[in-house]
Amino acid sequence: MRAAVVTEFGGPEVVEVVEVGVPEPGSRQIRIKVAAAAVNPVDVGVRVGVFGGAGERLGLGWDVAGTVDAVGAAAGWAVGEQVVALVYGMGKSLGTYADYVVVDADSVAVAPVSVDAAHAATVPLNALTAAQALDLLALEAGQSLLVTGAAGAVGGYAVQLAVRQGLSVVGLAREADEELVRSLGAGRFVSGEVASRSVDAVLDAAIVGESALEWVRDGGAFVAVIPHTEPAPVRGVRTAAVEVSADGARLAELVALVDEGVLTARVAQTYALADVVKAHVRLAEGGVRGRLVLVP
């Protein structure tokens, strides 16, 4: 089968598509025939060496939508089921940029029926990150939350989930994105200066960092979406960063919200697996609204 990997760190050009053996599922695992795999910033991190692994073959891709192709013992899934999954990809020799991928059975959920595979592939990593970041914030209905990068994939899901929780949401994004951010449910939109200590919490999907703490009231909360990027706490503000974890049960809840129209899965552009370098070049150009998705 084909898989996109890196064996050296660098720009988009270091990603190569190679022929590898089809992986076999072990106990409590399933194999998925990949229909779509989202391209995420974390894949760039793997590609440039942020997470280490020099000299190794590293697979790319954390999101997958596809069809169960084979099952291991006690997997609890059946061949032919349409599914989505998060594959925690740090240090793996194969990721979801491939024709087939093996995943742990408890990381899998039935795919949404209201969208195609490309859109379904944008849900696992981004929606789980948003949901688990909101868990860390532990806000109550009526409290105010500012989401940075509100027009992005994680930020957009965060806005919609926060609104569903009854939070008063302020979306921070570029001025050109105001219509989009408001369509996601943000009650307020800002593109520049934010008043000091004006919100109960910040969900920092854009990794603004320490300066965003000034927007949080004393005793509020701040959560970043990349591990270890949270600033030190000040004025009693709790700070943390989410490290996304695979959770099939939670993913199933998020899939249901897609089918209910609560969450909007957005695809910016699709690419063939053979054009994975082009996808990484486009991601590097910035300004992508929704996810780039590989469709093998």
Side-chain angles (χ1 to χ4, degrees):
M1 73 167 193
R2 300 169 303 158
V5 302
V6 293
T7 56
E8 60 180 307
F9 300 138
E13 71 282 355
V14 303
V15 182
E16 55 181 331
V17 178
V18 298
E19 288 290 331
V20 298
V22 177
E24 293 296 331
S27 178
R28 300 183 182 278
Q29 291 184 321
I30 67 171
R31 186 172 68 210
I32 299 172
K33 180 175 174 54
V34 178
V39 178
N40 290 288
V42 69
D43 300 320
V44 176
V46 173
R47 191 195 76 210
V48 301
V50 170
F51 309 110
E56 301 176 22
R57 185 186 75 184
L58 301 175
L60 299 174
W62 292 42
D63 285 304
V64 62
T67 305
V68 179
D69 171 73
V71 298
W77 293 89
V79 171
E81 290 188 277
Q82 303 298 307
V83 296
V84 290
L86 171 65
V87 181
Y88 189 90
M90 219 71 78
K92 288 186 177 293
S93 61
L94 294 174
T96 62
Y97 290 15
D99 290 317
Y100 296 89
V101 64
V102 166
V103 304
D104 292 335
D106 60 5
S107 70
V108 181
V110 173
V113 297
S114 59
V115 297
D116 61 17
H119 286 80
T122 72
V123 176
L125 176 59
N126 296 287
L128 279 170
T129 298
Q132 292 171 8
L134 286 167
D135 290 346
L136 287 176
L137 288 169
L139 300 175
E140 298 180 357
Q143 289 190 285
S144 56
L145 171 68
L146 189 147
V147 178
T148 72
V154 174
Y157 283 135
V159 168
Q160 292 183 305
L161 289 169
V163 169
R164 185 173 182 272
Q165 290 182 13
L167 303 180
S168 175
V169 178
V170 183
L172 174 64
R174 297 186 306 181
E175 187 174 347
D177 291 320
E178 179 173 3
E179 183 177 354
L180 168 61
V181 172
R182 289 190 180 277
S183 75
L184 296 172
R188 290 175 51 208
F189 174 85
V190 290
S191 61
E193 292 298 317
V194 179
S196 296
R197 308 184 189 185
S198 59
V199 294
D200 294 309
V202 165
L203 194 159
D204 191 17
I207 314 301
V208 173
E210 186 175 1
S211 62
L213 284 177
E214 291 301 314
W215 308 333
V216 183
R217 65 165 175 81
D218 294 357
F222 176 104
V223 168
V225 301
I226 297 179
H228 314 302
T229 61
E230 73 274 23
V234 296
R235 297 181 287 103
V237 176
R238 293 184 293 111
T239 65
V242 64
E243 181 165 0
V244 69
S245 60
D247 183 339
R250 188 68 176 281
L251 181 56
E253 295 173 1
L254 295 167
V255 164
L257 295 179
V258 173
D259 283 337
E260 292 170 19
V262 174
L263 293 182
T264 305
R266 294 178 288 144
V267 172
Q269 191 171 348
T270 60
Y271 294 82
L273 181 60
D275 292 327
V276 60
V277 170
K278 293 180 180 178
H280 273 241
V281 169
R282 176 65 189 93
L283 185 62
E285 291 171 349
V288 176
R289 291 297 170 256
R291 278 285 172 249
L292 306 175
V293 178
L294 299 175
V295 284

